[in-house]
Amino acid sequence: MFSRDRRKILRNSIGLAAALSASGRAAAQLGHDDRLTIVVPFPAGGITDIITRLVGQRLNKSLGVNVVIDNRPGAGGRIGTAYVKRAAPDGRTILLGGTVTLITGPLVWKEVPYNPVTDFAPISNGFEFELALAVAPGVPVKDLAEYQKWVAMSPRNAIVGSPSSGGLGHLLTLQLARSLKANIEHLAYKGSAPLQNDLMGAQVPAGMDTIDAQLRSRGIKVMATTGQRRSPALPGVPTFAELGYPEMQGAGWFGYLAPQQTPAPIIRQLSNAIQEAMTDPEIAARMRALSYASAASTPEDFAARIKSDRERWGAIVSSSGLSIDE
């Protein structure tokens, strides 16, 4: 009997030691030659992908890890985002989340396979962008005041396109209709490229898109931007706030998150490394060229940004009754 008890105690001790060892490994920081996978839930080659690859190269050097960028597009970013939700919470797989996948989309989509608040641990915000309202060539207006009058003349004038259904451009268009007291119809596109093609060809009278996208389109006229201050890329264009519409301020962002329950030391290690990476001159120059700006932050500040954005855009969604089944 004594012998059996000793064997039982020994087995339990070995099991406890193994569990403690595994827990210790999970809590440890990422080490040299570890593999770090950054899941980008959008196609390769886009702006977010390009910047993330530059950040990955910097993390490779600063942390000594092998960084892999894993593009998992589909369903507006939901496929890749849900994949990270199911990943082991060991810091080896993290997500590039964005305003559409974590804020506006979950507020309006009927089917979302993750909870943007409880399924992820914020690491650091990454970079942000502002939007602009532009009109097509031939639209006979030179500023926002004239645009407001022109929109009221005909329902055909009161159409604004944006790159996606339920994205930031869509919600800003809803806010624009309220701000201008106009019956504006939103027209959703499958990305910026088709929107800008139709805008340049005057197939749609106006568009709400990123400043970078608007800058690359010929012949269009930008009415106003959504930033707190004028964009360096468009110093002659006023902000909506300057024109008396502070409620039109709004910026989208892309930031880094880990599966919930990822150990705090790893979250802090990754956050510090990402914040450092965003100061890299090459990354900063590339972002400026694309009208993006660094938004690197602590995990706590990023969590606060997510909370405030959900409250701000959630109010617009609730009052509009917007719901999208896609």
Side-chain angles (χ1 to χ4, degrees), residues 26 79 126 164 192 263 275 303 311:
I79 291 177
S164 65
S192 286
Q275 291 178 64
E311 291 173 351

Side-chain angles (χ1 to χ4, degrees), residues 142-153:
K142 66 177 185 295
D143 56 33
L144 190 64
E146 291 188 0
Y147 173 76
Q148 183 178 17
K149 295 176 183 177
W150 184 75
V151 162
M153 292 178 182

Side-chain angles (χ1 to χ4, degrees), residues 120-187:
F120 303 100
I123 297 172
S124 171
N125 205 346
F127 42 98
E128 63 182 11
F129 57 93
E130 296 164 2
L131 287 80
L133 173 70
V135 297
V139 173
V141 303
K142 66 177 185 295
D143 56 33
L144 190 64
E146 291 188 0
Y147 173 76
Q148 183 178 17
K149 295 176 183 177
W150 184 75
V151 162
M153 292 178 182
S154 168
R156 291 185 302 174
N157 300 345
I159 299 173
V160 176
S162 84
S164 65
S165 182
L168 187 58
H170 188 170
L171 299 194
L172 279 166
T173 299
L174 294 178
Q175 181 60 61
L176 179 69
R178 295 181 186 180
S179 297
L180 299 185
K181 297 180 174 57
N183 187 23
I184 293 175
E185 177 185 351
H186 174 258
L187 181 60

Side-chain angles (χ1 to χ4, degrees), residues 11-297:
R11 285 196 303 269
N12 290 342
S13 297
I14 292 172
L16 178 60
L20 289 173
S21 177
S23 175
R25 286 196 301 271
Q29 294 187 333
L30 295 176
H32 204 70
D33 293 331
D34 273 338
R35 175 176 170 139
L36 172 62
T37 299
I38 304 177
V39 174
V40 178
F42 307 104
I47 293 175
T48 54
D49 182 64
I50 292 170
I51 296 176
T52 300
R53 290 180 186 277
L54 291 173
V55 171
Q57 292 171 11
R58 183 64 185 263
L59 296 180
N60 198 322
K61 294 178 182 178
S62 64
L63 296 177
V65 296
N66 297 316
V67 178
V68 176
I69 307 300
D70 184 6
N71 295 92
R72 290 180 176 265
R78 281 171 280 184
I79 291 177
T81 304
Y83 174 83
V84 175
K85 167 195 169 181
R86 298 188 299 269
D90 57 7
R92 273 67 178 175
T93 302
I94 64 175
L95 170 72
L96 179 74
T99 306
V100 70
T101 54
L102 298 174
I103 306 295
T104 62
L107 288 170
V108 301
W109 293 329
K110 290 184 178 179
E111 298 292 333
V112 184
Y114 53 85
N115 185 308
V117 175
T118 61
D119 286 337
F120 303 100
I123 297 172
S124 171
N125 205 346
F127 42 98
E128 63 182 11
F129 57 93
E130 296 164 2
L131 287 80
L133 173 70
V135 297
V139 173
V141 303
K142 66 177 185 295
D143 56 33
L144 190 64
E146 291 188 0
Y147 173 76
Q148 183 178 17
K149 295 176 183 177
W150 184 75
V151 162
M153 292 178 182
S154 168
R156 291 185 302 174
N157 300 345
I159 299 173
V160 176
S162 84
S164 65
S165 182
L168 187 58
H170 188 170
L171 299 194
L172 279 166
T173 299
L174 294 178
Q175 181 60 61
L176 179 69
R178 295 181 186 180
S179 297
L180 299 185
K181 297 180 174 57
N183 187 23
I184 293 175
E185 177 185 351
H186 174 258
L187 181 60
Y189 282 79
K190 298 288 187 180
S192 286
L195 167 60
Q196 293 302 322
N197 285 337
D198 275 6
L199 192 58
M200 287 187 290
Q203 300 302 307
V204 62
M208 185 76 73
D209 204 349
T210 65
I211 290 176
D212 173 65
Q214 308 283 35
L215 282 172
R216 288 185 277 110
S217 297
R218 297 178 181 177
I220 67 172
K221 289 176 286 185
V222 179
M223 300 286 98
T225 62
T226 67
Q228 293 182 350
R229 57 188 62 85
R230 294 193 180 196
S231 167
L234 293 168
V237 176
T239 66
F240 279 102
E242 281 182 70
L243 300 175
Y245 305 103
E247 70 279 5
M248 283 295 297
Q249 284 189 17
W253 46 258
F254 291 95
Y256 300 90
L257 305 96
Q260 192 60 265
Q261 304 303 321
T262 298
I266 292 181
I267 294 291
R268 189 66 59 185
Q269 179 193 22
L270 287 169
S271 182
N272 292 340
I274 289 170
Q275 291 178 64
E276 181 184 357
M278 299 309 291
T279 66
D280 181 89
E282 181 184 2
I283 295 176
R286 181 66 65 92
M287 287 194 298
R288 283 196 302 272
L290 297 169
S291 298
Y292 279 59
S294 172
S297 65

